[in-house]
Amino acid sequence: MERSEAAARIAELTVELHEHNHRYYVLAQPIISDQAFDALLKELEALERAFPDLVDDNSPTQRVGGDITRNFPTVAHRYPMLSLGNSYSREEVAEFVERVQREIGTVTFVMELKYDGVAISLTYQDGRLIRGVTRGDGEKGEEVTANVRTIRSIPLILRGADHPALFEVRGEVVFTRKQFDRLNRQREDAGEELYANPRNTAAGTLKLQDPKEVARRGLENFIYGIQGDRLPERSHYANILRAKAWGFRTPDPARRFIAQASDLDGIMAFIDHWDSQRHALEVAIDGVVIKVDDLDVQAELGMTAKSPRWAIAYKFAAEQATTELRQVSYQVGRTGAITPVAELAPVLLAGTTVKRASLHNADQISKLGLHIGDRVRVEKGGEIIPKIVGVLLEARPVNALPVIFPTTCPECGTPLVRLEGEAQHYCPNEHQCPPQIIRRIEHFVSRKAMDIEGLGGETVEELFKEGLIANIADLYKVTKEDLLALGKGWGEKSARLVVDGIAGSRSIPFERVLFAIGIRHVGETVAKKLARAVQSMERLAAMNKDELTTIEEVGPVIAESIVDFFAVEGNRTILERLREQGLRFGSDPSEVVQVGDRLKGLSFVVSGVFRNFSRDGIKEAIERNGGKVSGSISSKTSYLLAGADMGPAKRAKAEQLDVRVIDEDEFTRMIEG
Ligand code: IVH
């Protein structure tokens, strides 16, 4: 393609993709499918690869994260980023309102949610995002533009033409509860310590050097201010709502995310509403902000040394309740980490019934001086899981016994170890401690790992307890007859599903196998990077710490964990057995080794989606068994392998050429006999 032609197409795709992005992330009204969006994005990526000098900083491709940021330059804010005076009582809010009315007379107030995240300032020049800067000390902050570009609800190129030529948007970067939970589930899968608090995690994420990782984590942004010399309106409220037309996701008055009032009653009604409704929001708020609406009145009121005199924050009290500590139980995780959990008498707190509270580690237990039977104060602050913040000593039963952290594993009795500098205790008996083995197998079969259908947590536990499996490699020797012999609800269909699922997992790509085997600290992302960098299990096993740390995303902790993993003979034995079972131990598809010749001389066309195979996986299964895969149906095609959603045109063509159409089950029978 000619350069000029490419430039025109890039411009066209840019407009189109930004539009679809806006419809999806801001309006929540997409008009094309995810696949169609991806196809357009891929086209743009290909053009940008071919003409790298045509890549724009605000290209839709930057949403998935550009190059690593080496350092974040410090830049001065054009308008200082102020902080708000906090009030914790309604009296203080009333004093604020009275003071404003005394000085000015009747004014309009705007009430907003006080989002609990980190502040960001976004500068737009001529309708384009040119800079994203953290609050820093309020005068100057760190420039994190590449990371900000990955936040989908922040427009990179504005719509319309009536926005100021140069202005700043102020907002809060947060994790929604859903995204935060998702992130923590991934960390759990990777055997990593969970994040306790969305606000701190959002702050840390905004300062990551790899924008791709930032993109993966899925930050969100809520805007609450506009700064500029030539704003379209003299009302804060009106300016905020105007920004909607420019492509920002603005707070919805219909849902009372923003409102106006002219007196204290109106303000209090807003506070009352959100004090009781805040738990239903998709994002955490820690209060309500009250601002004078008129920008000229704001200027007249001015500011004190630290904060504006035209605004105040009303902070909700962190909700607390008291209840009885019934017991402390100790959970053993996949990596052997022991987590103490407080078992409480059920109590209503922040909209949910709380029965358990996290007790991070032994130090925390001794700091609180916990005794069984104590009345404890539990609090739900920014944290998702409630925590115990204190003990009501006067209510302690006379003969209450102190909580003593165990010295041996509650599941297998092995003496616990505590690594230097770490707060956590571990059970080192990784190859025999039942919950560790069960969790590892559960992780191996989970959706993001080997994705073995029909094998959930309970089934894994059952197979382990019945002695059918003692490790991940044993899964591949389980037969349908073994399962049927268990009785207890196992039937032809459920047994078949599991056995087929296990068989199908042989085609799972190497990067997921690497994630599935459960090396500590090797989560999904790291596994991908490793797979790409080393291409094979042998090479990975042979690498030393120094070699490993040259790989992107791999620091000394991960490197050591990988070396340690391959140093354990038990792990090497299991890997060898998995290799013999035909699992993919390399990235290169040309490395597909033929293991059988049941499909020798046959050629297949594959179409549609399958239950037990990915599309690539089923093609590989054909090749592994000596068959050939071709892209289009001809008279030489032996079979059309049809999955769900196959188009009618393919079927018609097959009938016309007298090519036999088979489904997944028939195919599975062909390769398994
Ligand atoms: S207005 C001069 N409005 O709370 C006014 N701030 O200390 C400056 N925040 O750093 C802030 N929601 O990060 C404002 N609706 C809202 C807010 C909000 C959250 C944060 C912001 C600021 C801190 C106030």
Side-chain angles (χ1 to χ4, degrees):
M1 193 186 280
E2 291 281 323
R3 201 187 131 81
S4 60
E5 207 181 322
R9 182 66 184 143
I10 286 177
E12 208 170 82
L13 285 167
T14 299
V15 171
E16 228 176 285
L17 283 162
H18 278 312
E19 175 66 24
H20 290 308
N21 186 74
H22 177 252
R23 284 183 166 277
Y24 190 97
Y25 288 101
V26 179
L27 304 178
Q29 288 168 344
I31 50 167
I32 62 171
S33 68
D34 292 359
Q35 289 93 317
F37 182 90
D38 288 342
L40 292 174
L41 192 65
K42 284 224 168 68
E43 186 187 347
L44 180 58
E45 276 167 358
L47 285 171
E48 289 185 345
R49 259 197 310 278
F51 300 93
D53 59 316
L54 293 179
V55 181
D56 187 302
D57 283 346
N58 284 323
S59 162
T61 55
Q62 300 304 303
R63 293 286 195 195
V64 294
D67 293 340
I68 296 282
T69 316
R70 293 280 161 226
N71 56 0
F72 301 116
T74 302
V75 294
H77 294 295
R78 178 182 293 265
Y79 310 95
M81 286 185 83
L82 307 175
S83 62
L84 293 167
N86 286 329
S87 61
Y88 295 90
S89 70
R90 292 168 186 237
E91 288 73 40
E92 288 172 85
V93 176
E95 280 167 26
F96 163 76
V97 171
E98 276 161 28
R99 173 172 59 73
V100 169
Q101 288 172 339
R102 206 170 43 240
E103 284 183 40
I104 307 290
T106 307
V107 298
T108 303
F109 295 96
V110 181
M111 291 83 71
E112 296 169 0
L113 304 180
K114 187 171 190 303
Y115 307 103
D116 192 12
V118 267
I120 191 84
S121 173
L122 310 167
T123 305
Y124 288 84
Q125 188 168 27
D126 299 325
R128 301 167 53 84
L129 176 72
I130 58 163
R131 206 176 297 132
V133 185
T134 63
R135 180 168 180 278
D137 62 5
E139 297 294 329
K140 47 192 180 335
E142 287 174 283
E143 201 209 305
V144 290
T145 315
N147 289 348
V148 163
R149 285 200 171 100
T150 68
I151 303 176
R152 314 279 175 143
S153 50
I154 294 180
L156 303 182
I157 297 176
L158 299 183
R159 307 151 65 78
D162 63 342
H163 43 72
L166 181 69
F167 70 108
E168 288 183 24
V169 171
R170 299 280 164 83
E172 199 84 346
V173 170
V174 299
F175 276 114
T176 60
R177 298 182 209 277
K178 209 163 121 197
Q179 277 304 93
F180 186 72
D181 289 349
R182 195 191 64 125
L183 200 61
N184 261 344
R185 274 201 305 276
Q186 288 171 351
R187 289 187 68 87
E188 201 169 13
D189 282 350
E192 289 162 351
E193 212 174 307
L194 300 191
Y195 293 127
N197 160 327
R199 183 200 328 108
N200 296 347
T201 313
T205 301
L206 204 52
K207 292 200 185 167
L208 288 176
Q209 291 188 315
D210 183 0
K212 289 196 173 58
E213 174 64 12
V214 181
R216 194 187 67 78
R217 292 195 188 175
L219 288 170
E220 268 290 350
N221 177 247
F222 291 89
I223 71 165
Y224 57 71
I226 297 182
Q227 295 273 344
D229 295 339
R230 266 168 237 228
L231 298 181
E233 316 265 1
R234 299 311 295 159
S235 145
H236 165 69
Y237 183 83
N239 278 326
I240 288 277
L241 295 190
R242 270 264 202 151
K244 186 175 180 179
W246 307 337
F248 293 97
R249 195 183 48 197
T250 51
D252 184 357
R255 298 180 67 187
R256 271 178 103 175
F257 293 157
I258 188 166
Q260 289 176 296
S262 55
D263 58 17
L264 190 60
D265 285 351
I267 293 172
M268 287 305 169
F270 190 84
I271 290 179
D272 286 340
H273 176 74
W274 286 115
D275 203 355
S276 67
Q277 297 302 308
R278 61 177 155 138
H279 305 296
L281 286 168
E282 61 177 331
V283 41
I285 61 170
D286 59 348
V288 160
V289 181
I290 302 121
K291 302 173 180 174
V292 169
D293 186 41
D294 190 308
L295 301 189
D296 299 315
V297 177
Q298 287 185 2
E300 202 177 326
L301 284 164
M303 46 181 297
T304 66
K306 286 194 310 217
S307 48
R309 295 178 72 244
W310 47 265
I312 191 168
Y314 173 80
K315 296 256 273 188
F316 299 134
E319 282 180 75
Q320 289 195 348
T322 67
T323 186
E324 182 197 336
L325 174 67
R326 287 184 169 165
Q327 203 191 321
V328 175
S329 60
Y330 299 88
Q331 292 178 345
V332 186
R334 163 157 72 85
T335 57
I338 310 289
T339 311
V341 177
E343 311 278 354
L344 308 167
V347 61
L348 199 65
L349 173 64
T352 51
T353 303
V354 171
K355 295 195 198 99
R356 315 177 112 200
S358 62
L359 276 172
H360 308 293
N361 51 47
D363 290 346
Q364 208 201 356
I365 293 177
S366 49
K367 212 157 74 192
L368 287 163
L370 287 183
H371 285 53
I372 300 298
D374 268 345
R375 270 210 93 67
V376 292
R377 238 174 326 136
V378 281
E379 180 177 297
K380 230 177 185 180
E383 289 74 24
I384 295 296
I385 306 163
K387 56 181 180 204
I388 296 185
V389 291
V391 177
L392 304 179
L393 287 176
E394 65 280 12
R396 175 168 293 164
V398 276
N399 48 8
L401 295 174
V403 175
I404 296 171
F405 202 89
T407 52
T408 56
C409 175
E411 299 279 350
C412 73
T414 306
L416 298 180
V417 294
R418 183 173 177 169
L419 304 179
E420 219 179 284
E422 283 194 27
Q424 203 99 30
H425 284 76
Y426 287 93
C427 166
N429 185 21
E430 58 181 310
H431 293 292
Q432 267 117 40
C433 178
Q436 292 189 56
I437 302 172
I438 294 172
R439 302 274 131 71
R440 271 205 302 274
I441 303 175
E442 278 170 8
H443 166 74
F444 182 80
V445 304
S446 67
R447 206 170 46 79
K448 295 231 165 110
M450 302 305 280
D451 193 16
I452 300 181
E453 226 191 307
L455 265 186
E458 271 169 35
T459 322
V460 167
E461 196 160 340
E462 182 189 356
L463 300 193
F464 178 83
K465 296 214 161 122
E466 294 289 346
L468 278 184
I469 52 173
N471 57 52
I472 52 178
D474 288 348
L475 284 169
Y476 293 86
K477 58 170 214 214
V478 172
T479 63
K480 204 173 74 184
E481 289 66 37
D482 290 338
L483 297 173
L484 290 173
L486 293 175
K488 287 182 285 185
W490 283 97
E492 184 69 32
K493 209 167 147 199
S494 52
R496 176 99 230 154
L497 187 72
V498 168
V499 175
D500 283 353
I502 293 172
S505 75
R506 293 189 171 92
S507 61
I508 292 288
F510 173 50
E511 59 185 48
R512 279 171 58 187
V513 176
L514 204 46
F515 170 57
I517 58 175
I519 306 174
R520 205 168 148 209
H521 301 304
V522 177
E524 256 186 298
T525 313
V526 173
K528 262 192 202 135
K529 296 263 152 87
L530 282 174
R532 225 163 282 159
V534 302
Q535 306 268 313
S536 87
M537 195 73 88
E538 289 86 350
R539 274 195 288 274
L540 184 64
M543 286 172 95
N544 64 31
K545 235 180 115 173
D546 291 339
E547 290 163 336
L548 284 165
T549 45
T550 61
I551 300 171
E552 196 188 332
E553 293 265 346
V554 178
V557 175
I558 299 179
E560 189 164 331
S561 164
I562 295 171
V563 171
D564 288 352
F565 180 88
F566 287 106
V568 175
E569 199 189 321
N571 290 338
R572 287 203 307 268
T573 314
I574 286 177
L575 288 180
E576 200 39 51
R577 287 177 55 198
L578 292 177
R579 175 203 306 286
E580 282 163 12
Q581 284 297 332
L583 266 69
R584 291 197 51 184
F585 271 28
S587 292
D588 183 357
S590 65
E591 273 182 28
V592 176
V593 236
Q594 190 181 325
V595 293
D597 55 7
R598 292 205 156 132
L599 307 181
K600 200 165 159 209
L602 300 176
S603 102
F604 291 75
V605 171
V606 176
S607 180
V609 284
F610 301 92
R611 272 181 291 118
N612 293 317
F613 297 91
S614 66
R615 186 76 81 87
D616 288 343
I618 208 157
K619 288 182 179 165
E620 252 188 68
I622 295 170
E623 285 166 4
R624 253 205 325 268
N625 286 285
K628 284 211 166 49
V629 180
S630 107
S632 58
I633 306 173
S634 73
S635 56
K636 296 209 185 72
T637 308
S638 322
Y639 295 101
L640 169 60
L641 178 45
D645 291 342
M646 185 183 76
K650 277 246 166 72
R651 189 176 291 274
K653 181 92 188 272
E655 274 166 18
Q656 188 196 338
L657 295 172
D658 219 10
V659 171
R660 218 179 124 209
V661 184
I662 57 167
D663 66 8
E664 183 176 350
D665 292 338
E666 192 164 354
F667 173 75
T668 310
R669 281 195 292 277
M670 283 170 85
I671 57 173
E672 281 172 9

